[in-house]
């Protein structure tokens, strides 16, 4: 017979393990919100879809302090303004409270509004280590109709890289000449080290022939393309979670603490630029992310 007051030891152990896991999942979600890997609106949608999920069981005050630039006193003012009790969990909000909170979020931190018109010039950018290269490579294999731009770089080739296929490997003098001759649509020094640039000619030819073009470049490059070709479609690739990005950035543990901290700071700064992009795609699964990016390019 089961005694509800005194559950067997195994049940108590299992229950406390579940509680620990749930707390860990909520802490991880708060990191996702703080680093903008998950938008607050998305967290609210998840909470409504499943009140028992990490988002659903997150207390509203904890949700608010996870948002950028909201401390405890601001949090209390917001709760009062929205008429939400501090004991409420996101998944337990009434219909009216959900709507008020959603509206408040939309005015304070709007989500990207997809552009009504599509350009055939698509830029794929995102934080370091999010997997842009892998997604672009998948698109190259699956969508030969899309031209994957081949950049020029002063970086030496890695084993297996083919000149003219992965990059045009050039020296500094040649790169300078390309810049001076206006041959590059954009160019930037990446990771304070080597220079990378997008040759203009092949892109113009492809676009003129009605083909779509995909550029896999860094953030500085994406901003330059926005200026040079304002109607280009800018896609930001997001990691499935902040913890996952940290794993991909420092996972091998070969860097010292200072280098790890530097990479994490850079990743946070890069994630904060996502508001400049027209579309966000989550790279949880390469094939699916590639499918979504390719769909935006056709
Ligand atoms: P890797 O050296 O690992 O191939 O690339 C390093 C970084 O350079 C990646 O973040 C990649 O997106 C970026 N990159 C590659 N080609 C270009 C380019 O033509 N322009 C800019 N701005 N960045 C590039």
């Amino acid at each position: 017979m089961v005694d509800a007051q005194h559950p067997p030891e195994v049940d108590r152990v299992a229950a406390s393990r579940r509680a620990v896991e749930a707390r860990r999942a909520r802490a991880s979600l708060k990191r996702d919100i703080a680093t903008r890997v998950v938008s607050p609106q998305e967290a609210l949608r998840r909470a409504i879809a499943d009140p028992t999920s990490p988002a659903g069981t997150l207390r509203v005050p904890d949700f608010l302090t996870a948002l950028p630039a909201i401390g405890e006193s601001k949090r209390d003012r917001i709760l009062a303004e929205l008429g939400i009790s501090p004991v409420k969990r996101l998944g337990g909000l009434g219909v009216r409270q959900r709507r008020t909170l959603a509206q408040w979020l939309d005015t304070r931190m709007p989500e990207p509004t997809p552009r009504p018109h599509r350009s055939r010039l698509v830029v794929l950018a995102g934080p370091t280590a999010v997997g842009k290269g892998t997604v672009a490579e998948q698109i190259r294999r699956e969508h030969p109709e899309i031209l994957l731009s081949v950049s020029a770089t002063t970086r030496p080739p890695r084993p297996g890289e083919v000149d003219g296929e992965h990059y045009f490997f050039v020296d500094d003098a040649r790169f300078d000449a390309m810049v001076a001759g206006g041959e590059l649509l954009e160019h930037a020094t990446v990771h304070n080290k080597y220079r990378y640039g997008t040759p203009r000619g092949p892109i113009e030819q492809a676009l003129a022939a009605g083909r779509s073009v995909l550029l896999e470049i860094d953030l500085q490059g994406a901003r330059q393309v926005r200026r040079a070709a304002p109607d280009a479609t800018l896609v930001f690739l997001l990691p499935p979670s902040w913890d996952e990005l940290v794993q991909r950035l420092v996972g091998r543990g070969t860097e010292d603490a200072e280098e790890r901290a530097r990479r994490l700071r850079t990743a946070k700064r890069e994630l904060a630029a996502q508001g400049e992009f027209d579309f966000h795609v989550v790279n949880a699964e390469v094939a699916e992310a590639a499918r979504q990016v390719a769909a935006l390019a056709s």
Side-chain angles (χ1 to χ4, degrees):
M1 212 175 77
V2 178
D3 177 354
Q5 296 293 307
H6 303 284
E9 178 67 11
V10 274
D11 285 3
R12 263 184 287 135
V13 171
S16 89
R17 194 177 299 143
R18 276 199 301 276
V20 169
E21 269 164 25
R23 258 202 308 279
R24 204 174 282 151
R26 281 195 294 274
S28 163
L29 176 66
K30 281 198 283 179
R31 286 194 288 278
D32 290 344
I33 297 170
T35 53
R36 299 168 219 251
V37 167
V38 170
S39 72
Q41 287 90 339
E42 169 62 19
L44 184 56
R45 283 192 288 272
R46 289 183 194 173
I48 293 166
D50 180 2
T52 66
S53 65
T57 53
L58 185 63
R59 286 190 194 280
V60 181
D62 292 343
F63 169 69
L64 291 175
T65 43
L67 301 177
I70 294 185
E72 290 181 7
S73 61
K74 224 177 192 178
R75 169 199 68 192
D76 295 343
R77 254 184 289 135
I78 297 164
L79 285 171
E81 185 192 318
L82 300 178
I84 296 176
S85 149
V87 299
K88 278 279 181 189
R89 294 175 190 269
L90 265 191
L93 293 174
V95 176
R96 183 123 36 93
Q97 287 176 320
R98 279 183 210 161
R99 206 179 306 135
T100 334
L101 179 58
Q103 279 166 358
W104 183 86
L105 292 169
D106 285 342
T107 37
R108 300 298 184 296
M109 33 202 101
E111 289 188 290
T113 33
R115 306 184 134 204
H117 104 247
R118 290 279 177 69
S119 159
R120 274 178 292 101
L121 178 58
V122 178
V123 175
L124 180 64
T128 311
V130 74
K132 284 172 292 177
T134 321
V135 169
E137 187 51 45
Q138 173 90 4
I139 295 173
R140 190 215 301 269
R141 277 201 307 271
E142 302 274 320
H143 294 274
E145 75 281 9
I146 300 174
L147 174 75
L148 185 60
S149 160
V150 179
S151 302
T153 181
T154 57
R155 160 167 89 60
R158 296 189 186 122
E161 283 183 335
V162 178
D163 187 39
E165 189 181 313
H166 298 95
Y167 282 104
F168 294 107
F169 296 99
V170 299
D171 60 13
D172 269 307
R174 175 74 190 111
F175 200 94
D176 284 339
M178 290 172 106
V179 174
E183 290 175 44
L184 301 177
L185 177 64
E186 61 74 37
H187 60 95
T189 302
V190 179
H191 302 319
N192 296 322
K193 229 170 164 178
Y194 298 111
R195 291 190 289 168
Y196 295 80
T198 305
R200 197 188 281 279
I203 293 178
E204 287 174 352
Q205 280 166 24
L207 290 174
R211 274 181 88 185
S212 293
V213 177
L214 181 69
L215 312 185
E216 183 257 292
I217 58 179
D218 85 326
L219 275 175
Q220 314 165 68
R223 291 187 174 121
Q224 289 177 47
V225 174
R226 172 66 98 209
R227 282 195 294 274
D231 66 346
T233 300
L234 265 55
V235 184
F236 195 87
L237 196 62
L238 280 165
S241 70
W242 167 253
D243 292 349
E244 175 79 30
L245 185 68
V246 171
Q247 270 301 312
R248 294 183 194 175
L249 269 171
V250 300
R252 282 159 306 196
T254 43
E255 303 80 18
D256 58 26
E258 199 178 312
E259 173 61 16
R260 274 207 302 278
R262 194 189 66 77
R263 288 190 184 192
L264 298 186
R265 274 198 308 277
T266 306
K268 283 189 184 155
R269 203 178 50 237
E270 289 170 335
L271 284 167
Q274 62 181 271
E276 299 167 37
F277 286 71
D278 305 313
F279 294 93
H280 294 170
V281 168
V282 178
N283 187 20
E285 212 250 303
V286 174
E288 174 56 19
R291 196 193 58 72
Q292 291 181 22
V293 176
L296 292 169
S298 46

